Amino acid sequence: MVNSIPQNNYADALSRAPWRIFAVGIVAALAVVAILMAALMQAPVQEITTLMYWLSISSLISLALGYILYRRGLARSPSLSLTLVLTYGWAGLLTLANVWLMSEQMFFSKDHDLILSGILLLFAAIIATTFGIFVAASVTDGLRQLARTAQQIAEGNLKARVSISGRDEVAMVGSTFNEMAAQLQQTAQEREELEQMRKDLIAWTSHDLRTPLTSIRAMIEALHDGVVDDPETVTRYYKTIRSDIIALNDIIDDLFELAQLDAGGLSMQMADHALGDLVSDTLEMFQALALEHEVTLRGTVAPDLGLVRMCAPKIGRVIANLVNNALRYTPAGGTVVVTAVRQKSEVIVTVQDSGSGFAKQDLERVFEQFYRGEQARSRAEGIGAGLGLAIAKGIVTAHNGRIWAENAPEGGAIVGFSLPDV
């Protein structure tokens, strides 16, 4: 970003004290003239005094006329280019008038010198005005382009950019404008992606809630109407209903915990706890599911792991989410390994599976709240595949830890997190 604070302060100073600046300029100009006349021309004091008198009157009149012209005309000019050109022209006329007046005072008996100096000054004024037109065009071209680009962005074309040339203030404004436009474009893109993911989440959540509810309703109606009266079938229905209710409860818990993470209201009761016990409990909890999927589930805990400062239920939830996610995408005959080790000032837990791993385009976004990679979009997997990693990230972040995902060189995915060893 371009730092414009010094320039703004300078502009504010100019706008607050114009007459002070004019006075300083007049005094400085008179002092320079007096010094040069005394040093280079060896002029007597009386001539210097006379010249200073007429220069003072001339400068005051010139500045007063210039200020009136600015207030009455230039300040209301519809074009910066016209303002600059008129300014150069007015400066040339002032120069011509002032020097002509001084020439009459100093060379009143030398008509040839007076006429020659006037012709030369007129030539210089024309050249200065021509140069002013060139400068005005170069300045206003950049401003016009900036205005056109701003209009395009206002109309919705966020890809519009200003072509920058030079290093002056207009170029600095153009560079800052391009940075602003890039940020607007990125923000709009992120907003669109977030809105699309929000819509997808609503669709996935509706499906994941409606499917078990439809199943529960059908089985309850069958039991209520007496359509099913076989004891074995009734028992199977009750088990299915219980399983669907647990699944619904898990979905609602995920959504509620995600809402707490977003609101910053997640309760964390920190205490020293054995991280190895959490790993063991998680392995035991998921052994039945691993057998059902025909996946080998095992873990390794370093003997020096010791106690870790953490909220045990929440970290247990993180490990459970990672293991559950690994089991979902590990094919039959595969392996899921949980490892917990201590490295320097942190403890690290990793969950590695022998599945297909993460798609390259999904790897950097697997922890986003509303994001599901292609493999996670299977309706059969449920909403847990879409929110589990996002919840895990929120919990680990609340512990001042870090979480990551990568593909193993030998195949499969590795998801790990670390906690500071305070």
Side-chain angles (χ1 to χ4, degrees), residues 16-50:
R16 285 196 300 267
W19 292 110
R20 184 183 305 172
I21 296 173
F22 290 159
V24 172
I26 292 173
V27 172
L30 293 175
V32 169
V33 171
I35 294 173
L36 291 178
M37 287 191 67
L40 300 179
M41 301 177 63
Q42 304 294 325
V45 176
Q46 183 178 358
E47 290 186 7
I48 295 177
T49 302
T50 301

Side-chain angles (χ1 to χ4, degrees), residues 85 88-96 118-134:
V85 171
Y88 278 104
W90 177 248
L93 290 176
L94 286 180
T95 303
L96 179 60
I119 294 173
L120 294 177
L121 285 171
L122 180 61
F123 173 79
I126 295 173
I127 296 298
T129 303
T130 304
F131 180 74
I133 296 174
F134 170 77

Side-chain angles (χ1 to χ4, degrees), residues 401-416:
R402 58 187 181 91
I403 190 169
W404 66 91
E406 58 186 350
N407 288 324
E410 63 274 15
I414 301 176
V415 182

Side-chain angles (χ1 to χ4, degrees), residues 105-180:
Q105 296 301 319
M106 301 302 293
F107 309 123
F108 57 89
S109 62
K110 298 180 181 180
D111 294 336
H112 181 272
D113 292 340
L114 182 61
I115 295 173
L116 179 60
S117 63
I119 294 173
L120 294 177
L121 285 171
L122 180 61
F123 173 79
I126 295 173
I127 296 298
T129 303
T130 304
F131 180 74
I133 296 174
F134 170 77
V135 173
S138 64
V139 172
T140 54
D141 283 347
L143 295 178
R144 289 194 187 98
Q145 183 184 166
L146 186 63
R148 287 194 299 268
T149 306
Q151 182 63 34
Q152 292 177 9
I153 291 179
E155 294 173 354
N157 182 16
L158 298 181
K159 295 182 179 180
R161 295 293 185 272
V162 179
S163 178
I164 301 173
S165 60
R167 297 186 300 175
D168 58 6
E169 288 79 2
V170 176
M172 294 168 66
V173 172
S175 177
T176 304
F177 182 89
N178 285 344
E179 292 181 10
M180 179 197 69

Side-chain angles (χ1 to χ4, degrees), residues 244-260:
D244 287 342
I245 291 175
I246 292 174
L248 285 173
N249 185 74
D250 290 341
I251 294 173
I252 294 171
D253 285 347
D254 280 352
L255 293 173
F256 179 71
E257 191 153 17
L258 190 61
Q260 285 185 310

